[in-house]
Amino acid sequence: MYLNKNLTFLNETDAKEYALELVKSGMVQKDKWMVEELIQGEDIARDVKFYCFYGEIGLILESNRIPSLKRCWYDKDFSKVKTGKYNNNLFEGSGENLEELSKAAQRISLELPVPFIRLDFLQIGNDIYLGEFTPVPGGYAAFNQEWDKKLGEMYQHATVRISNDVAYGKIFDKYASLIKSEAEVIKIIKLLNS
């Protein structure tokens, strides 16, 4: 038995069986799990990830997982780009709802006191869900030199904008309301910035 981080389950029963096998095999120490809401529809959810730099979009990644994993990259203007990452499994994405999702991602990222966050959305039909916040996505070394430079510069500019906003009194009220204690705030900020 080995831990496969790339598995996709099409139903709750299969996911639970796999989880129990991980516990029985000793790969997972405790039968304690963090789960996302099961989103069901007639189709598999469309996955769209936004690389956000404090209110600005750097890149957008649309993924199609059925029948096999395919990816499509967009820049902030919704033009298709090649980033060096996932070049072996690119497809012509649909580009559906990118403008609407992009505005939501920009608003959310401005509420977080971090220069970078990847925001992941899922869409089934007309329903859109915020999937997760990812402060350190994997595979960042795979970007080509052009995109590595662009994203690095966006990170630097976002850091300056946050610093200016804080210096002029911005308080991240919505973010702070989610935190129960000052110790949690410090812990989460360190985690997001690591």
PDB file of all heavy atoms in Angstrom, residues 49-71:
ATOM      1  N   LYS A  49      -7.910  27.436 -11.311  1.00  0.00           N
ATOM      2  CA  LYS A  49      -7.034  27.934 -10.250  1.00  0.00           C
ATOM      3  C   LYS A  49      -6.480  29.306 -10.650  1.00  0.00           C
ATOM      4  O   LYS A  49      -6.033  29.494 -11.772  1.00  0.00           O
ATOM      5  CB  LYS A  49      -5.879  26.960 -10.029  1.00  0.00           C
ATOM      6  CG  LYS A  49      -6.335  25.560  -9.643  1.00  0.00           C
ATOM      7  CD  LYS A  49      -5.159  24.610  -9.556  1.00  0.00           C
ATOM      8  CE  LYS A  49      -5.537  23.182  -9.323  1.00  0.00           C
ATOM      9  NZ  LYS A  49      -6.442  22.882  -8.271  1.00  0.00           N
ATOM     10  N   PHE A  50      -6.493  30.231  -9.691  1.00  0.00           N
ATOM     11  CA  PHE A  50      -6.016  31.586  -9.922  1.00  0.00           C
ATOM     12  C   PHE A  50      -4.773  31.844  -9.080  1.00  0.00           C
ATOM     13  O   PHE A  50      -4.814  31.707  -7.860  1.00  0.00           O
ATOM     14  CB  PHE A  50      -7.100  32.605  -9.576  1.00  0.00           C
ATOM     15  CG  PHE A  50      -8.237  32.604 -10.551  1.00  0.00           C
ATOM     16  CD1 PHE A  50      -9.265  31.678 -10.438  1.00  0.00           C
ATOM     17  CD2 PHE A  50      -8.259  33.499 -11.594  1.00  0.00           C
ATOM     18  CE1 PHE A  50     -10.306  31.659 -11.341  1.00  0.00           C
ATOM     19  CE2 PHE A  50      -9.300  33.495 -12.509  1.00  0.00           C
ATOM     20  CZ  PHE A  50     -10.320  32.561 -12.385  1.00  0.00           C
ATOM     21  N   TYR A  51      -3.685  32.216  -9.722  1.00  0.00           N
ATOM     22  CA  TYR A  51      -2.450  32.603  -9.046  1.00  0.00           C
ATOM     23  C   TYR A  51      -2.577  34.097  -8.761  1.00  0.00           C
ATOM     24  O   TYR A  51      -2.412  34.925  -9.658  1.00  0.00           O
ATOM     25  CB  TYR A  51      -1.250  32.301  -9.930  1.00  0.00           C
ATOM     26  CG  TYR A  51      -0.964  30.818 -10.065  1.00  0.00           C
ATOM     27  CD1 TYR A  51      -1.835  29.965 -10.722  1.00  0.00           C
ATOM     28  CD2 TYR A  51       0.189  30.271  -9.506  1.00  0.00           C
ATOM     29  CE1 TYR A  51      -1.581  28.603 -10.829  1.00  0.00           C
ATOM     30  CE2 TYR A  51       0.459  28.912  -9.613  1.00  0.00           C
ATOM     31  CZ  TYR A  51      -0.428  28.086 -10.280  1.00  0.00           C
ATOM     32  OH  TYR A  51      -0.169  26.744 -10.386  1.00  0.00           O
ATOM     33  N   CYS A  52      -2.889  34.440  -7.503  1.00  0.00           N
ATOM     34  CA  CYS A  52      -3.242  35.807  -7.115  1.00  0.00           C
ATOM     35  C   CYS A  52      -2.106  36.469  -6.341  1.00  0.00           C
ATOM     36  O   CYS A  52      -1.539  35.878  -5.429  1.00  0.00           O
ATOM     37  CB  CYS A  52      -4.485  35.798  -6.237  1.00  0.00           C
ATOM     38  SG  CYS A  52      -5.924  35.073  -7.017  1.00  0.00           S
ATOM     39  N   PHE A  53      -1.866  37.727  -6.697  1.00  0.00           N
ATOM     40  CA  PHE A  53      -0.837  38.520  -6.047  1.00  0.00           C
ATOM     41  C   PHE A  53      -1.482  39.779  -5.481  1.00  0.00           C
ATOM     42  O   PHE A  53      -1.478  40.832  -6.113  1.00  0.00           O
ATOM     43  CB  PHE A  53       0.274  38.852  -7.043  1.00  0.00           C
ATOM     44  CG  PHE A  53       1.003  37.632  -7.539  1.00  0.00           C
ATOM     45  CD1 PHE A  53       0.515  36.905  -8.620  1.00  0.00           C
ATOM     46  CD2 PHE A  53       2.142  37.181  -6.893  1.00  0.00           C
ATOM     47  CE1 PHE A  53       1.163  35.774  -9.067  1.00  0.00           C
ATOM     48  CE2 PHE A  53       2.793  36.038  -7.332  1.00  0.00           C
ATOM     49  CZ  PHE A  53       2.304  35.331  -8.415  1.00  0.00           C
ATOM     50  N   TYR A  54      -2.086  39.619  -4.309  1.00  0.00           N
ATOM     51  CA  TYR A  54      -2.738  40.709  -3.593  1.00  0.00           C
ATOM     52  C   TYR A  54      -3.566  41.578  -4.541  1.00  0.00           C
ATOM     53  O   TYR A  54      -3.263  42.728  -4.794  1.00  0.00           O
ATOM     54  CB  TYR A  54      -1.715  41.545  -2.827  1.00  0.00           C
ATOM     55  CG  TYR A  54      -2.333  42.534  -1.855  1.00  0.00           C
ATOM     56  CD1 TYR A  54      -3.159  42.098  -0.828  1.00  0.00           C
ATOM     57  CD2 TYR A  54      -2.096  43.890  -1.977  1.00  0.00           C
ATOM     58  CE1 TYR A  54      -3.734  43.001   0.049  1.00  0.00           C
ATOM     59  CE2 TYR A  54      -2.658  44.808  -1.106  1.00  0.00           C
ATOM     60  CZ  TYR A  54      -3.485  44.358  -0.091  1.00  0.00           C
ATOM     61  OH  TYR A  54      -4.055  45.252   0.778  1.00  0.00           O
ATOM     62  N   GLY A  55      -4.621  40.987  -5.057  1.00  0.00           N
ATOM     63  CA  GLY A  55      -5.564  41.710  -5.893  1.00  0.00           C
ATOM     64  C   GLY A  55      -5.289  41.679  -7.379  1.00  0.00           C
ATOM     65  O   GLY A  55      -6.089  42.165  -8.167  1.00  0.00           O
ATOM     66  N   GLU A  56      -4.166  41.128  -7.780  1.00  0.00           N
ATOM     67  CA  GLU A  56      -3.846  41.012  -9.198  1.00  0.00           C
ATOM     68  C   GLU A  56      -3.702  39.545  -9.567  1.00  0.00           C
ATOM     69  O   GLU A  56      -3.130  38.760  -8.810  1.00  0.00           O
ATOM     70  CB  GLU A  56      -2.560  41.770  -9.530  1.00  0.00           C
ATOM     71  CG  GLU A  56      -2.720  43.266  -9.399  1.00  0.00           C
ATOM     72  CD  GLU A  56      -1.517  44.034  -9.895  1.00  0.00           C
ATOM     73  OE1 GLU A  56      -0.629  43.436 -10.543  1.00  0.00           O
ATOM     74  OE2 GLU A  56      -1.463  45.251  -9.628  1.00  0.00           O
ATOM     75  N   ILE A  57      -4.186  39.204 -10.742  1.00  0.00           N
ATOM     76  CA  ILE A  57      -4.095  37.834 -11.237  1.00  0.00           C
ATOM     77  C   ILE A  57      -2.827  37.697 -12.059  1.00  0.00           C
ATOM     78  O   ILE A  57      -2.585  38.490 -12.980  1.00  0.00           O
ATOM     79  CB  ILE A  57      -5.328  37.473 -12.104  1.00  0.00           C
ATOM     80  CG1 ILE A  57      -6.633  37.699 -11.331  1.00  0.00           C
ATOM     81  CG2 ILE A  57      -5.216  36.051 -12.637  1.00  0.00           C
ATOM     82  CD1 ILE A  57      -6.787  36.879 -10.080  1.00  0.00           C
ATOM     83  N   GLY A  58      -2.032  36.694 -11.735  1.00  0.00           N
ATOM     84  CA  GLY A  58      -0.820  36.422 -12.508  1.00  0.00           C
ATOM     85  C   GLY A  58      -1.081  35.389 -13.584  1.00  0.00           C
ATOM     86  O   GLY A  58      -0.758  35.599 -14.757  1.00  0.00           O
ATOM     87  N   LEU A  59      -1.668  34.284 -13.188  1.00  0.00           N
ATOM     88  CA  LEU A  59      -1.967  33.188 -14.109  1.00  0.00           C
ATOM     89  C   LEU A  59      -3.279  32.536 -13.718  1.00  0.00           C
ATOM     90  O   LEU A  59      -3.703  32.604 -12.562  1.00  0.00           O
ATOM     91  CB  LEU A  59      -0.877  32.112 -14.036  1.00  0.00           C
ATOM     92  CG  LEU A  59       0.396  32.332 -14.830  1.00  0.00           C
ATOM     93  CD1 LEU A  59       1.418  31.263 -14.480  1.00  0.00           C
ATOM     94  CD2 LEU A  59       0.141  32.368 -16.319  1.00  0.00           C
ATOM     95  N   ILE A  60      -3.877  31.874 -14.700  1.00  0.00           N
ATOM     96  CA  ILE A  60      -5.096  31.099 -14.480  1.00  0.00           C
ATOM     97  C   ILE A  60      -4.856  29.721 -15.083  1.00  0.00           C
ATOM     98  O   ILE A  60      -4.347  29.614 -16.206  1.00  0.00           O
ATOM     99  CB  ILE A  60      -6.306  31.758 -15.165  1.00  0.00           C
ATOM    100  CG1 ILE A  60      -6.467  33.209 -14.688  1.00  0.00           C
ATOM    101  CG2 ILE A  60      -7.574  30.943 -14.923  1.00  0.00           C
ATOM    102  CD1 ILE A  60      -7.383  34.051 -15.552  1.00  0.00           C
ATOM    103  N   LEU A  61      -5.203  28.689 -14.335  1.00  0.00           N
ATOM    104  CA  LEU A  61      -5.041  27.317 -14.811  1.00  0.00           C
ATOM    105  C   LEU A  61      -6.395  26.622 -14.810  1.00  0.00           C
ATOM    106  O   LEU A  61      -7.022  26.467 -13.769  1.00  0.00           O
ATOM    107  CB  LEU A  61      -4.062  26.546 -13.910  1.00  0.00           C
ATOM    108  CG  LEU A  61      -3.860  25.067 -14.225  1.00  0.00           C
ATOM    109  CD1 LEU A  61      -3.291  24.866 -15.621  1.00  0.00           C
ATOM    110  CD2 LEU A  61      -2.961  24.425 -13.174  1.00  0.00           C
ATOM    111  N   GLU A  62      -6.842  26.226 -15.992  1.00  0.00           N
ATOM    112  CA  GLU A  62      -8.080  25.457 -16.135  1.00  0.00           C
ATOM    113  C   GLU A  62      -7.703  23.999 -16.347  1.00  0.00           C
ATOM    114  O   GLU A  62      -6.854  23.690 -17.175  1.00  0.00           O
ATOM    115  CB  GLU A  62      -8.879  25.967 -17.333  1.00  0.00           C
ATOM    116  CG  GLU A  62     -10.150  25.200 -17.582  1.00  0.00           C
ATOM    117  CD  GLU A  62     -10.910  25.688 -18.811  1.00  0.00           C
ATOM    118  OE1 GLU A  62     -10.513  26.699 -19.435  1.00  0.00           O
ATOM    119  OE2 GLU A  62     -11.912  25.037 -19.149  1.00  0.00           O
ATOM    120  N   SER A  63      -8.334  23.111 -15.589  1.00  0.00           N
ATOM    121  CA  SER A  63      -8.043  21.678 -15.703  1.00  0.00           C
ATOM    122  C   SER A  63      -9.292  20.899 -16.053  1.00  0.00           C
ATOM    123  O   SER A  63     -10.372  21.182 -15.551  1.00  0.00           O
ATOM    124  CB  SER A  63      -7.482  21.137 -14.384  1.00  0.00           C
ATOM    125  OG  SER A  63      -6.271  21.778 -14.066  1.00  0.00           O
ATOM    126  N   ASN A  64      -9.106  19.923 -16.893  1.00  0.00           N
ATOM    127  CA  ASN A  64     -10.153  18.974 -17.249  1.00  0.00           C
ATOM    128  C   ASN A  64      -9.616  17.599 -16.878  1.00  0.00           C
ATOM    129  O   ASN A  64      -8.569  17.196 -17.371  1.00  0.00           O
ATOM    130  CB  ASN A  64     -10.455  19.068 -18.750  1.00  0.00           C
ATOM    131  CG  ASN A  64     -11.611  18.210 -19.158  1.00  0.00           C
ATOM    132  OD1 ASN A  64     -12.075  17.350 -18.415  1.00  0.00           O
ATOM    133  ND2 ASN A  64     -12.086  18.429 -20.365  1.00  0.00           N
ATOM    134  N   ARG A  65     -10.293  16.883 -16.005  1.00  0.00           N
ATOM    135  CA  ARG A  65      -9.763  15.634 -15.457  1.00  0.00           C
ATOM    136  C   ARG A  65     -10.302  14.373 -16.124  1.00  0.00           C
ATOM    137  O   ARG A  65      -9.824  13.286 -15.849  1.00  0.00           O
ATOM    138  CB  ARG A  65     -10.047  15.589 -13.964  1.00  0.00           C
ATOM    139  CG  ARG A  65      -9.372  16.743 -13.245  1.00  0.00           C
ATOM    140  CD  ARG A  65      -9.540  16.692 -11.751  1.00  0.00           C
ATOM    141  NE  ARG A  65      -8.964  17.858 -11.128  1.00  0.00           N
ATOM    142  CZ  ARG A  65      -7.675  18.058 -10.910  1.00  0.00           C
ATOM    143  NH1 ARG A  65      -6.807  17.163 -11.261  1.00  0.00           N
ATOM    144  NH2 ARG A  65      -7.246  19.161 -10.336  1.00  0.00           N
ATOM    145  N   ILE A  66     -11.307  14.481 -16.973  1.00  0.00           N
ATOM    146  CA  ILE A  66     -11.899  13.303 -17.590  1.00  0.00           C
ATOM    147  C   ILE A  66     -11.840  13.451 -19.100  1.00  0.00           C
ATOM    148  O   ILE A  66     -12.200  14.514 -19.601  1.00  0.00           O
ATOM    149  CB  ILE A  66     -13.370  13.121 -17.128  1.00  0.00           C
ATOM    150  CG1 ILE A  66     -13.466  13.032 -15.612  1.00  0.00           C
ATOM    151  CG2 ILE A  66     -14.028  11.938 -17.783  1.00  0.00           C
ATOM    152  CD1 ILE A  66     -12.833  11.812 -14.998  1.00  0.00           C
ATOM    153  N   PRO A  67     -11.427  12.515 -19.887  1.00  0.00           N
ATOM    154  CA  PRO A  67     -11.034  11.146 -19.522  1.00  0.00           C
ATOM    155  C   PRO A  67      -9.605  11.073 -18.987  1.00  0.00           C
ATOM    156  O   PRO A  67      -9.222  10.107 -18.354  1.00  0.00           O
ATOM    157  CB  PRO A  67     -11.161  10.376 -20.839  1.00  0.00           C
ATOM    158  CG  PRO A  67     -10.900  11.398 -21.891  1.00  0.00           C
ATOM    159  CD  PRO A  67     -11.424  12.696 -21.349  1.00  0.00           C
ATOM    160  N   SER A  68      -8.780  12.111 -19.243  1.00  0.00           N
ATOM    161  CA  SER A  68      -7.443  12.166 -18.656  1.00  0.00           C
ATOM    162  C   SER A  68      -7.147  13.626 -18.317  1.00  0.00           C
ATOM    163  O   SER A  68      -7.773  14.536 -18.849  1.00  0.00           O
ATOM    164  CB  SER A  68      -6.395  11.615 -19.626  1.00  0.00           C
ATOM    165  OG  SER A  68      -6.339  12.424 -20.791  1.00  0.00           O
ATOM    166  N   LEU A  69      -6.204  13.836 -17.428  1.00  0.00           N
ATOM    167  CA  LEU A  69      -5.899  15.178 -16.945  1.00  0.00           C
ATOM    168  C   LEU A  69      -5.269  16.024 -18.056  1.00  0.00           C
ATOM    169  O   LEU A  69      -4.238  15.677 -18.611  1.00  0.00           O
ATOM    170  CB  LEU A  69      -4.961  15.102 -15.740  1.00  0.00           C
ATOM    171  CG  LEU A  69      -4.580  16.415 -15.089  1.00  0.00           C
ATOM    172  CD1 LEU A  69      -5.816  17.172 -14.623  1.00  0.00           C
ATOM    173  CD2 LEU A  69      -3.647  16.167 -13.922  1.00  0.00           C
ATOM    174  N   LYS A  70      -5.933  17.138 -18.352  1.00  0.00           N
ATOM    175  CA  LYS A  70      -5.446  18.100 -19.340  1.00  0.00           C
ATOM    176  C   LYS A  70      -5.502  19.489 -18.720  1.00  0.00           C
ATOM    177  O   LYS A  70      -6.344  19.771 -17.867  1.00  0.00           O
ATOM    178  CB  LYS A  70      -6.307  18.077 -20.611  1.00  0.00           C
ATOM    179  CG  LYS A  70      -6.312  16.743 -21.325  1.00  0.00           C
ATOM    180  CD  LYS A  70      -4.993  16.502 -21.997  1.00  0.00           C
ATOM    181  CE  LYS A  70      -5.019  15.207 -22.791  1.00  0.00           C
ATOM    182  NZ  LYS A  70      -3.726  14.850 -23.279  1.00  0.00           N
ATOM    183  N   ARG A  71      -4.614  20.378 -19.165  1.00  0.00           N
ATOM    184  CA  ARG A  71      -4.508  21.712 -18.572  1.00  0.00           C
ATOM    185  C   ARG A  71      -4.483  22.792 -19.651  1.00  0.00           C
ATOM    186  O   ARG A  71      -4.025  22.554 -20.753  1.00  0.00           O
ATOM    187  CB  ARG A  71      -3.214  21.838 -17.765  1.00  0.00           C
ATOM    188  CG  ARG A  71      -2.874  20.654 -16.907  1.00  0.00           C
ATOM    189  CD  ARG A  71      -3.308  20.831 -15.527  1.00  0.00           C
ATOM    190  NE  ARG A  71      -2.753  19.768 -14.687  1.00  0.00           N
ATOM    191  CZ  ARG A  71      -2.923  19.704 -13.416  1.00  0.00           C
ATOM    192  NH1 ARG A  71      -3.598  20.623 -12.798  1.00  0.00           N
ATOM    193  NH2 ARG A  71      -2.425  18.718 -12.711  1.00  0.00           N
TER     194      ARG A  71
END
